[in-house]
Amino acid sequence: MLKVIENIKLGVLLIDNKNTVILSNNYVSYIFDCNIEPGKSIIDGWENYKFLTLFDKFIKENFQKVEFEHKILKFNKILIENGYIIIIEDITKEESYQAMKMNFFSNASHELKTPITSIVGYAETLLLNNDIDKKDQNKFLKYIYQNALNLNDLINNILQLAEIEHFKQSSDVLSNVDILALLSELNINHLINSKNIEFIQECELSAIPFNKYHLKTILDNLLDNAFFYTKEGFIKLKCHNDNNYYIFEVQDSGIGIEKSQQEKIFERFYKIKSKGSGLGLAIVKHLVLIYNGSIELESTVGVGSLFRLKFPKKNE
Ligand code: ADP
């Protein structure tokens, strides 16, 4: 029993009626990075003043959750004959995951509301007014259609991000992806001739071990942005490798991104110009991390942006 208590991933403190520590396990030392010896008082037996204050407060207030030194700790007091047991759980990870989830849902519902409100508004106007002329009817139907498409994109992106976040390791889904074949399947191919932009493709890679769907998603998102934010000039896609890395670069001569925004654009739902869901780069970043890769951004406002992705070869 003592062995179990010693090695359990919960802090266990056995205290008598006079607040003297009878037993303190390894996890207590791990959480507080300091041990309390049996025989000392739970309130003033600690060498560190901060712990002493924490336990003094616990004895007086019997709180259940406390933020302490960047950790969130859950306390549970169990009364026993001649004393009590304090169980301490480090719930920092769970709490920050929970906060992240709440944040995601509130952002997602806010983003979903925008197109839905427009769809409902225009549909209501059409239903309640019989005298709208044909031209306006068509205009409103186009708004409804466009917002329905936006809604569809948003839902697809949210589902895609949720799916990607479940991927912890890339190794079970790797196959040799034929790069040239993949490039010919990218969504941007229809955009290449649509603007006065030169599309340059420099590809030195023939095949890399990857999940084809992941690589396509990454390049589609980066190139889609490059085309959207570039009016004229060029867009360059480069794939090459050195001794340690497979390297993909997407460069454009577009509007560029201010320094202060360059980290934020990888956050979920963050967008400077409201073209889409603000999830594209968050999806790219997640996918890159699955492959232990890294993403660098070099950008100058008015000159253009360069997104460089590096994937370690030792993933093979
Ligand atoms: P979305 O899915 O809405 O396109 P992203 O996550 O892909 O959103 O991009 C977030 C923001 O980053 C965009 O709103 C845009 O302002 C900025 N951005 C992304 N790529 C580029 C680029 N190539 N040039 C300029 N701005 C860009």
Side-chain angles (χ1 to χ4, degrees), residues 128-177:
L128 299 176
N129 299 291
N130 296 325
D131 51 350
I132 300 178
D133 64 40
K134 194 95 190 129
K135 209 171 127 205
D136 280 341
Q137 273 186 18
N138 266 335
K139 196 165 83 186
F140 292 169
L141 279 172
K142 268 189 196 149
Y143 289 150
I144 292 176
Y145 179 62
Q146 191 51 53
N147 277 291
L149 289 181
N150 291 348
L151 192 61
N152 191 42
D153 279 353
L154 182 60
I155 292 171
N156 282 340
N157 277 338
I158 290 175
L159 292 177
Q160 196 178 23
L161 193 59
E163 194 189 329
I164 293 164
E165 284 181 345
H166 271 94
F167 262 89
K168 288 275 178 296
Q169 276 196 331
S170 59
S171 50
D172 52 347
V173 289
L174 298 185
S175 62
N176 248 352
V177 179

Side-chain angles (χ1 to χ4, degrees), residues 57-189:
K57 196 163 175 239
F58 177 70
I59 303 292
K60 285 178 185 145
E61 296 174 14
N62 236 334
F63 56 73
Q64 290 185 334
K65 218 192 296 183
V66 68
E67 226 182 301
F68 184 75
E69 308 259 283
H70 310 296
K71 285 193 180 108
I72 301 172
L73 303 176
K74 192 169 146 195
F75 277 62
N76 192 4
K77 186 174 173 180
I78 304 163
L79 292 176
I80 51 168
E81 205 182 328
N82 299 331
Y84 56 97
I85 300 169
I86 308 175
I87 310 278
I88 307 163
E89 206 178 331
D90 183 353
I91 54 166
T92 318
K93 263 193 196 148
E94 289 84 342
E95 289 283 304
S96 68
Y97 177 68
Q98 209 55 26
M100 218 173 70
K101 230 166 65 178
M102 288 310 294
N103 195 10
F104 179 80
F105 280 123
S106 91
N107 278 327
S109 39
H110 174 80
E111 291 295 326
L112 289 166
K113 261 187 200 154
T114 315
I116 290 174
T117 310
S118 294
I119 292 172
V120 171
Y122 287 118
E124 251 172 28
T125 313
L126 286 173
L127 282 171
L128 299 176
N129 299 291
N130 296 325
D131 51 350
I132 300 178
D133 64 40
K134 194 95 190 129
K135 209 171 127 205
D136 280 341
Q137 273 186 18
N138 266 335
K139 196 165 83 186
F140 292 169
L141 279 172
K142 268 189 196 149
Y143 289 150
I144 292 176
Y145 179 62
Q146 191 51 53
N147 277 291
L149 289 181
N150 291 348
L151 192 61
N152 191 42
D153 279 353
L154 182 60
I155 292 171
N156 282 340
N157 277 338
I158 290 175
L159 292 177
Q160 196 178 23
L161 193 59
E163 194 189 329
I164 293 164
E165 284 181 345
H166 271 94
F167 262 89
K168 288 275 178 296
Q169 276 196 331
S170 59
S171 50
D172 52 347
V173 289
L174 298 185
S175 62
N176 248 352
V177 179
D178 177 339
I179 300 293
L180 283 180
L182 178 93
L183 297 184
S184 70
E185 289 170 28
L186 292 177
N187 290 347
I188 46 97
N189 290 336

Side-chain angles (χ1 to χ4, degrees), residues 157 221-230 250-258 261-262 264-284 297 299 304-307:
N157 277 338
N221 273 300
L222 293 177
L223 287 166
D224 187 57
N225 281 341
F227 271 95
F228 190 83
Y229 296 107
T230 305
V250 174
Q251 187 178 9
D252 65 56
S253 61
I255 60 170
I257 303 155
E258 274 186 31
Q261 309 275 7
Q262 290 183 8
K264 291 186 193 148
I265 56 168
F266 294 97
E267 289 170 15
R268 298 187 193 103
F269 297 108
Y270 192 87
K271 51 196 178 192
I272 309 167
K273 293 250 175 339
S274 61
K275 147 178 94 86
S277 61
L279 288 175
L281 289 177
I283 290 173
V284 170
L297 168 60
S299 186
S305 308
L306 167 64
F307 290 84

